[in-house]
Every structure is written in C-alpha cells, then in structure tokens.
Amino acid sequence: MEMEAPVTRQQTAILCLIPFILVPIAHGCSHPAINRDAQFLAEIERIPAIDNHAHPVCPPAVVPGDRDFDALPVDNLEPESDPVLLQPSNPNLPLAWKALFGFSGTAGTPDGLRRLQQARDVVRKAKGDKYSVWVLDQSNVETMLGNRVSLCEGISRPRFAWVPYADALLFPLDNSKLAGNNPDRKVYVPLEDRLLRRYLTQRGFKQPPWKLTEYLERVVTPTLEEQRHGGAVAEKFEIAYLRKFDFGDPSSTEAEKVYSQWMGHGPPPEAAYKILQDYLFRYVAGECGRLGMAVHLHRMAGAGGYFDVAGVNPLLLEPVLNDPRLRKTKFVFVHGGWPYTREITALLEKPNVFLDYSSQALSFSPATLAVTLREWLERNPEKVLYGTDAYPSSDLMGWEESLWMANKTAREALALALEGMERDGEVTHEQALRLAHQVLHDNAKSLYSL
Ligand SMILES: [Zn+2]
C-alpha cells in the first residue's frame, strides 16, 4: 500500500515560521508543531507511565480468539468515516511495526500482511508468557489499567490493573426494545444481555430476582465486591453507547415500582425503564465510592456512525457529580470528553472529577492535542491522566501497535504543552518536569492508591 510521505519536522518548522516572516504577530503559528527541546522530550520519554485506559488482548496461547478486551467491541458496526489518523495510512503505523517487530515494508497486501504476522509470531514466541509485559516495556508503561470483562494469565497484576464493566447491571429488564431504531445499539444490546447473564450465573441466578432489593443485595453489590476483590480499581461505563447522560434522581420506591411491574412482563416503556436505569446508575456509583473504586465513563464522540454525540454532553452529568451522596466516588472522563473538552475543563473544579486523554492521542496530532492539554494543565493539572486506549483495531493495528502509536503522540503532546508554558513564563523547567511526572504517573498512582 502506498503511503503519503509525512511532513518532516524541518518542513513543519518552516511552515510555522512563515507567519513570523509575513506578519509579525505575537502568537506566530497557532499549532506549535515542533518539539523545540528534544532533551525535554527525552526526559518525558524516560518517565514510567501509568496508562489509565487500554484494552490489552490475552495472548493467543492463553485465550485463543479472546473477545473479553471490550464488553462492546466496535468491530461489527456499519461503516463510518474514519478520521485520517485512524486509517492505515497513519505514518506512525510502519514505525510501530519496525520498533516492535522489526518489520519493514508495507502490509497492505495479503503477502505483506502474512509477513507482518510472521514477524509478530517470532517476537511472541521469543517472549513467551512475558510478551504482554514486554509490550508495555516498549512504551515505558509501568502499569496499564486493562479495561476488560475479565483478566487472564499474562494480563495480570502487578503490571496490569483491572477495570471491568458495570453497564449490564443497569438493564435487568426485557431489553428487546431497548435499541429502538439505532442499528449500532442493535449490535450492543445483546452483548449487554449476555454480560448480565454471565454476572447472574456467577451469583447463582438464571434470571434476575423478582424484587429490586434482592437484585441489589444479591446480584449488583456482590458482583461489584467480587470485582473489587479480584483487583478492580474502577468500574467502566460504556453507557454513552446505549443512552443519554441525563440521569435523574428517582427514589427507591419509584425504581422498585418499575422493577416489580416489568420484571418478567415484556419490554418496559422507555420512560419507565429510564427511572430504573437512573436509580441503578447512582446506586452503582455509590457502591463504587464505598468500595474504593473509581467510575470510568467513556466520553468521546464515537465509535459508530449512529453514536449520539449530543446526548453525551458531560454537562448532562452535572447533577450526578453534584450529588453530595456521591462525593466519595471519583468520576474519570475517559478520552477527555472530546469534542466537549472545554465543558470537561469546567467540571474539573469538582473535587471528584478527573480525565484522561486516551484515544485522543490516536486521532489527533501532538500539536492539536497539546492545545487541549495546556488548557487542562493551566487549570487542574492534578486531575489530568495519561492514557492510550490501546485497542485491537484491525489486522494491521493490534493493541501493541496502538499502544506504541498513542504513547508516542501522548508524550510528544505533553512535551509541547509544557514547553509552551515554560516558554511563556508560566512554569520553570523544573515545574514543567514535575507536571509531566504528575500526568504520566503520580496522579493515577494517588487516584487508585496503586
Ligand atoms: Zn477504550
């Protein structure tokens, strides 16, 4: 496959200088697209990172055809318009193949792909049961929070921490009408049904109990407790794929009424089901706070061409974040909320709100991401977490390449943002380096008591 030559750093530098030559404005190039200080970037690359969000895949020798890397895998949806950097033409992809597997050349043909697979197999075999840890080492990731349905041998402590999924617990009724006319949700809802059955089976139930109190006491709470004891540091909600963020605050009586009326009696009307889901969301969030787990919320436009971007404006969650009963629960906006990055900035003032910039490092350039990062770092740097969203996207880009590429961009963007702050006299060099340590490592370490 032919790839366009990427713009070199030298070319970018010249492009950025043009405004200075033609129009001597103070800001110059609005996108600071070069790392002025290679030494500073090198210092940042040496900091061991805690990756707040990723989907590591179990080694094939341990779990052949592993699908637990996501509760709602996004590889069976109708086509959408992929951003440029998520396409196989991303110039960082061949760099990842080369760095990880010593593979040079293109993989866009069946023969090329076969040679890439061979190169991967050689490394996998050589690394054996240390393969997953070796993958982390290639990006200087000390600990990865693995957002998975289950862990496995090779994806385990101490280098991996666990973030399981809680969405299924919010949908105990008949879900045959839950997807409405949304084709993506028609893919997702059966997967949530299956995960709830799995949770029910683990608790010795074939179907949810008939009373809400019993469902809470014998299914929901024990599931969360068991996951906590199994090493979970947070519960993940992919609820953004399933409904809007407009959680109300119904009473237990209202929720019990819906539960009793509709359990075993077919699909409930949307408005009635919402009452139960809203109640269960706050219940689970409260239990997470009690058990010392954070709540992770997928907050980024996509994936999927039917994703409800307007419905997941993070400001819709403000009543939940302002609920005094939930102040012990730490909420982490995974993916930094794009495109609502400024709304998230405002929400960071709440003591229990955090964000990571995973996934953004896969879909934006360092220069673009640095602008967003700098705003957060100027406001609440103690709330900003490094993350990659490493994900097995395709045959060409496994979670390994995805981690390598996201890590490269995430660290370059952080260096650019901090260099800008240092250049403009906001921080000293030592303070910039301190902030880098916070974002890459220390903020997550203290948030999860790792
Ligand atoms: Zn993810």
Side-chain angles (χ1 to χ4, degrees):
M1 182 182 295
E2 281 295 308
M3 269 177 293
E4 284 181 37
V7 179
T8 65
R9 280 198 179 161
Q10 289 79 359
Q11 287 169 330
T12 312
I14 293 164
L15 290 171
C16 274
L17 282 171
I18 289 171
F20 285 102
I21 299 162
L22 299 178
V23 188
I25 52 172
H27 280 101
C29 190
S30 62
H31 287 277
I34 52 169
N35 288 302
R36 290 163 187 82
D37 189 345
Q39 205 183 335
F40 185 54
L41 178 60
E43 285 181 273
I44 282 183
E45 282 168 348
R46 280 196 293 274
I47 301 171
I50 297 174
D51 184 348
N52 188 66
H53 177 75
H55 303 264
V57 178
C58 293
V62 178
V63 183
D66 174 33
R67 294 290 289 171
D68 270 3
F69 59 80
D70 194 353
L72 301 178
V74 291
D75 49 6
N76 285 315
L77 305 179
E78 288 182 21
E80 59 180 310
S81 304
D82 287 330
V84 169
L85 289 180
L86 291 181
Q87 296 174 21
S89 56
N90 185 323
N92 279 328
L93 186 55
L95 298 182
W97 292 334
K98 178 84 181 143
L100 291 166
F101 306 115
F103 175 81
S104 324
T106 59
T109 61
D111 185 54
L113 182 59
R114 190 179 48 75
R115 285 187 295 110
L116 171 63
Q117 295 287 24
Q118 281 171 350
R120 285 167 170 158
D121 287 344
V122 168
V123 177
R124 277 200 188 115
K125 211 170 162 194
K127 303 298 170 191
D129 57 2
K130 303 276 187 299
Y131 175 72
S132 307
V133 165
W134 173 83
V135 172
L136 301 196
D137 289 342
Q138 304 319 298
S139 293
N140 199 13
V141 170
E142 177 187 283
T143 308
M144 172 180 276
L145 271 61
N147 189 196
R148 294 184 45 89
V149 175
S150 66
L151 295 183
C152 62
E153 199 185 317
I155 309 286
S156 55
R157 288 183 285 181
R159 296 292 296 275
F160 293 87
W162 189 26
V163 181
Y165 294 86
D167 303 278
L169 297 168
L170 270 52
F171 303 99
L173 300 180
D174 183 332
N175 294 322
S176 55
K177 293 274 194 303
L178 189 64
N181 63 357
N182 184 314
D184 288 354
R185 289 181 184 169
K186 284 177 183 167
V187 175
Y188 299 141
V189 169
L191 296 170
E192 294 296 358
D193 273 334
R194 198 172 65 188
L195 184 55
L196 180 62
R197 277 200 302 278
R198 200 162 153 178
Y199 288 158
L200 287 167
T201 305
Q202 284 165 0
R203 307 261 63 84
F205 287 92
K206 281 208 171 80
Q207 59 182 47
W210 293 101
K211 288 276 166 208
L212 177 60
T213 46
E214 204 184 339
Y215 176 63
L216 298 177
E217 287 166 15
R218 296 185 60 191
V219 178
V220 179
T221 289
T223 298
L224 298 172
E225 285 175 344
E226 187 174 283
Q227 290 175 341
R228 179 62 170 145
H229 293 144
V233 296
E235 288 287 336
K236 170 81 177 297
F237 280 99
E238 296 185 309
I239 197 82
Y241 288 109
L242 299 162
R243 56 158 282 178
K244 294 183 192 302
F245 272 177
D246 57 343
F247 295 102
D249 189 10
S251 67
S252 57
T253 313
E254 290 171 291
E256 175 73 62
K257 193 171 155 214
V258 173
Y259 189 96
S260 307
Q261 187 176 351
W262 290 99
M263 181 54 69
H265 291 99
E270 197 179 328
Y273 207 174
K274 181 180 180 298
I275 291 171
L276 180 62
Q277 294 161 24
D278 292 359
Y279 178 81
L280 287 169
F281 179 76
R282 285 186 195 243
Y283 179 84
V284 172
E287 286 293 85
C288 286
R290 179 179 72 80
L291 294 165
M293 290 191 285
V295 166
H296 281 194
L297 291 148
H298 171 91
R299 230 338 283 129
M300 185 167 188
Y306 294 97
F307 190 89
D308 179 9
V309 182
V312 293
N313 185 328
L315 294 182
L316 291 172
L317 274 170
E318 200 168 17
V320 170
L321 305 173
N322 282 345
D323 185 340
R325 296 165 300 176
L326 297 178
R327 272 293 149 103
K328 276 173 78 180
T329 305
K330 289 162 179 168
F331 293 90
V332 184
F333 286 106
V334 171
H335 317 317
W338 188 86
Y340 300 106
T341 50
R342 305 202 88 179
E343 283 79 353
I344 297 257
T345 310
L347 294 175
L348 287 181
E349 288 189 16
K350 300 179 194 304
N352 54 342
V353 175
F354 299 77
L355 63 83
D356 78 30
Y357 61 107
S358 62
S359 193
Q360 290 202 48
L362 283 167
S363 44
F364 293 105
S365 68
T368 301
L369 183 50
V371 176
T372 310
L373 264 177
R374 181 164 168 173
E375 180 172 303
W376 294 333
L377 294 173
E378 288 179 351
R379 298 275 302 185
N380 297 94
E382 76 285 6
K383 303 294 199 64
V384 181
L385 310 170
Y386 159 94
T388 63
D389 203 12
Y391 197 92
S393 302
S394 65
D395 288 343
L396 297 176
M397 187 162 77
W399 74 280
E400 303 95 326
E401 288 94 350
S402 173
L403 171 64
W404 192 93
M405 293 162 72
N407 173 67
K408 179 175 183 289
T409 299
R411 291 185 193 248
E412 287 176 1
L414 183 60
L416 280 175
L418 291 168
E419 278 167 32
M421 291 169 72
E422 186 185 336
R423 189 179 61 243
D424 295 340
E426 293 171 36
V427 292
T428 64
H429 186 74
E430 288 66 35
Q431 286 169 330
L433 200 54
R434 181 77 225 115
L435 286 171
H437 275 272
Q438 271 185 261
V439 170
L440 286 163
H441 187 271
D442 300 353
N443 290 342
K445 186 178 163 70
S446 96
L447 173 60
Y448 305 109
S449 306
L450 291 173

